[in-house]
Amino acid sequence: EDSSWMDDDNSKTEACGEKMPTPDMESKPADSRDKMKKNITVLRGIALVVGTIIGTGIFITPNSITRRVNAPATSILIWLAGGVIAAVGGLVFCELGTMIPVSGAEVAYLRKIYGPLPAFLSVWLMHFLLGGMRRAIGVLGFSKYFWSLFYENPEAEVNWWVTKLVALSVLYIIVALVTLKPTLILKCIVLFTTSKFVATLIIIIAGFVYLGKGNSANISVGFEGTNTDAKEWGDAWNGVIWSYLGWEQICIVTSEIRNPQRNIPIIVLSSVAIVTVLYLLTVCSYHIVLPLSVMKQDTAVASEFGLRTMGDAGKIILALTVVLSTLGNVQCTFLTQSRYIHSGSVEGLLPSCFSLVSKRFRTPLVSILYLTAVTTVFVIVGGIDDLISAASFTVFPFYVACSVGVFVMRKTHPDIPRPYKVPLIFPALFVLFGMFVFIVPFMGEDWMISLIWVGIVLLGIPLYYLILKNVFGFQFLRKWDASVTALLARLLNCD
């Protein structure tokens, strides 16, 4: 049984990136995306996106953003701009998602528009590497706020291995839920999304009550002292980008959405609007209560806010709600990114084993187990700050490629039905912003780190040609893929 992801003939494409029919197409892994249950309604979809976006970002990055822009009003402005960028990106993905209504988001769009190589690079970086980083940041953030319930300074008082042990324990509980109870996980997402609203609403209400008592000195600093250094602004944008990441996640599970042509735009725009309003009000509250000197420190900003407004009880309440928020974030990313890997296999970009779906639970079991292993590695060896910087810098080139793809598809496939058409000014603006985000990191002293990440992305090119395209004709690779897929299908009861 030959596997098409190794087959040279199956990689032939038309100019737009569609597969040319070949005699071997029968050997391509069956498109099991239609086997997924249509579990996602509009409400669940909004909860999924909001749950993915609001995680560790709004509770971790405000400090670093304020430290770099050096003014309360400037900090608030950059958070507003982040919401606008997320909305623009969401509109771009609405056209692509309703025009190409299959699960996979970037991997499906890049495959259709450009061919298999860019799609493979997207899978290689964003979900084989950075996906694990995002989940690791989530469970590490969970562990950090969990220990803040019991210690004033958990980083100094709790051994690092205990923190990581808690993070790994939470990770494996989430894996069990995502694998065995996919419907229950959607219900849990709604529950944990509620905790995000609770945390942000407590901060918003407490902050404006504080302001109503005449405490306006902190926020009245306004734009005074704003930093104009481009590199510092680029670093600030990394934090904002990280905090808004997730607006595209609903397009990854398109095959599980009821009536995707109608519901995807509603879900994306509603989610981004909700998150942007909550972020702006939350950041305003931070700056109302906390002086600039405190906001620039590397502290747990939500806990410090709770302590100053409501005492020890407030600190405990906010720490607990942040714990639930980060837990929901990890659940959301596990659910969506396992489908991304599954879609990459269905498209013939990855080994066939990743296309396997559990017969009993109808979930992409092999993809979930792989992501669990990658996340475990990053939890053990990684730190939150470095992982955030890497994720923010490398994610945008693929979003930019999708935005350019809107222009390409308008030119090459003008007659494809488009239930939603984005005004072309939006993908153009998104491309310009993406270029800024990618170029600025090379302007600082740590440009070598950015270059290393570019090298990691480009490493996917020889992997594609040497392994996926099998340029040396290694027959054992095809046999290995077929054998491993058959073995895992038997062991894990998948098809």
Side-chain angles (χ1 to χ4, degrees):
E1 297 181 10
D2 288 348
S3 182
S4 66
W5 71 285
M6 292 290 189
D7 202 321
D8 287 340
D9 293 333
N10 284 345
S11 64
K12 296 176 182 178
T13 59
E14 297 178 345
C16 67
E18 288 187 280
K19 277 202 167 187
M20 298 286 288
T22 73
D24 296 327
M25 288 291 281
E26 294 82 2
S27 64
K28 179 181 178 179
D31 192 334
S32 53
R33 287 175 289 199
D34 289 337
K35 298 178 182 178
M36 303 290 190
K37 293 182 179 179
K38 303 287 186 179
N39 285 322
I40 301 178
T41 61
V42 170
L43 178 60
R44 287 178 175 176
I46 292 173
L48 175 63
V49 177
V50 173
T52 303
I53 297 175
I54 304 178
T56 58
I58 191 61
F59 307 115
I60 292 177
T61 61
N63 306 75
S64 62
I65 292 169
T66 303
R67 186 164 55 249
R68 286 172 170 83
V69 299
N70 200 43
T74 311
S75 172
I76 295 168
L77 182 62
I78 200 172
W79 281 93
L80 173 60
V84 173
I85 293 298
V88 170
L91 292 173
V92 171
F93 271 61
C94 282
E95 173 165 334
L96 294 173
T98 54
M99 180 177 58
I100 310 172
V102 296
S103 292
E106 299 100 310
V107 66
Y109 309 153
L110 294 173
R111 176 68 186 244
K112 175 72 175 178
I113 299 167
Y114 303 110
L117 176 56
F120 171 75
L121 291 178
S122 175
V123 174
W124 156 247
L125 179 69
M126 295 182 65
H127 293 276
F128 271 67
L129 296 174
L130 296 187
M133 293 181 184
R134 293 180 67 179
R135 288 180 296 277
I137 292 168
V139 293
L140 287 171
F142 173 96
S143 185
K144 177 180 180 179
Y145 272 91
F146 173 80
W147 287 117
S148 73
L149 291 167
F150 308 102
Y151 298 94
E152 292 185 4
N153 187 8
E155 293 186 358
E157 299 180 62
V158 180
N159 289 332
W160 66 270
W161 62 268
V162 176
T163 299
K164 291 184 181 291
L165 181 62
V166 170
L168 290 174
S169 299
V170 172
L171 171 67
Y172 299 142
I173 292 172
I174 292 172
V175 169
L177 289 173
V178 171
T179 304
L180 306 179
K181 296 290 184 180
T183 303
L184 177 61
I185 201 71
L186 289 170
K187 295 178 181 178
C188 289
I189 287 171
V190 175
L191 172 64
F192 289 124
T193 298
T194 302
S195 74
K196 303 171 194 294
F197 281 104
V198 171
T200 53
L201 287 176
I202 289 174
I203 294 171
I204 292 167
I205 293 171
F208 282 89
V209 167
Y210 190 84
L211 178 65
K213 295 179 179 179
N215 300 304
S216 60
N218 295 328
I219 198 168
S220 64
V221 174
F223 293 97
E224 183 180 346
T226 297
N227 190 349
T228 57
D229 182 82
K231 177 61 172 60
E232 292 293 334
W233 272 75
D235 291 338
W237 271 114
N238 281 336
V240 174
I241 290 169
W242 167 256
S243 299
Y244 277 101
L245 280 182
W247 47 264
E248 81 293 349
Q249 293 295 299
I250 197 64
C251 297
I252 296 177
V253 291
T254 302
S255 294
E256 297 174 69
I257 300 173
R258 299 172 187 174
N259 192 7
Q261 282 82 3
R262 170 185 176 273
N263 290 341
I264 285 179
I266 296 174
I267 292 171
V268 171
L269 295 178
S270 299
S271 302
V272 171
I274 291 169
V275 171
T276 301
V277 171
L278 288 175
Y279 276 5
L280 285 176
L281 294 176
T282 301
V283 173
C284 285
S285 292
Y286 285 150
H287 285 291
I288 289 169
V289 173
L290 302 176
L292 184 62
S293 59
V294 174
M295 282 297 296
K296 292 166 64 176
Q297 295 174 6
D298 188 14
T299 60
V301 64
S303 296
E304 182 66 24
F305 178 94
L307 181 64
R308 290 186 177 233
T309 55
M310 296 171 284
D312 290 335
K315 177 181 178 180
I316 293 172
I317 291 172
L318 284 177
L320 184 59
T321 52
V322 170
V323 161
L324 294 176
S325 175
T326 55
L327 182 60
N329 178 263
V330 175
Q331 288 183 332
C332 290
T333 55
F334 239 117
L335 178 68
T336 56
Q337 290 176 3
S338 61
R339 273 64 175 176
Y340 193 106
I341 298 293
H342 170 266
S343 182
S345 178
V346 169
E347 293 286 347
L349 298 170
L350 299 173
S352 301
C353 61
F354 290 113
S355 68
L356 293 176
V357 174
S358 170
K359 292 180 179 179
R360 179 178 179 184
F361 303 107
R362 310 317 301 169
T363 52
L365 183 56
V366 176
S367 298
I368 291 172
L369 294 178
Y370 168 78
L371 293 175
T372 304
V374 173
T375 306
T376 298
V377 172
F378 282 120
V379 168
I380 293 173
V381 305
I384 292 177
D385 292 340
D386 292 338
L387 295 179
I388 287 177
S389 297
S392 301
F393 167 69
T394 52
V395 72
F396 251 76
F398 297 98
Y399 293 162
V400 168
C402 289
S403 298
V404 174
V406 171
F407 295 96
V408 174
M409 292 299 288
R410 294 276 185 98
K411 179 69 174 179
T412 59
H413 286 71
D415 298 327
I416 289 182
R418 291 172 171 83
Y420 174 81
K421 289 185 70 173
V422 63
L424 292 180
I425 185 63
F426 290 146
L429 291 174
F430 199 79
V431 169
L432 292 175
F433 176 76
M435 293 173 61
F436 168 78
V437 170
F438 184 77
I439 293 172
V440 166
F442 290 98
M443 299 170 60
E445 296 179 356
D446 54 353
W447 61 271
M448 184 60 71
I449 297 176
S450 301
L451 189 61
I452 290 173
W453 276 108
V454 172
I456 292 175
V457 176
L458 297 179
L459 180 61
I461 297 177
L463 287 176
Y464 174 80
Y465 283 105
L466 295 177
I467 300 178
L468 299 188
K469 295 274 287 184
N470 195 17
V471 294
F472 293 117
F474 294 143
Q475 296 298 319
F476 75 88
L477 291 176
R478 293 194 188 94
K479 296 178 180 178
W480 173 86
D481 177 52
S483 299
V484 169
T485 301
L487 176 62
L488 290 176
R490 290 194 298 270
L491 291 177
L492 301 176
N493 192 27
C494 295
D495 57 13

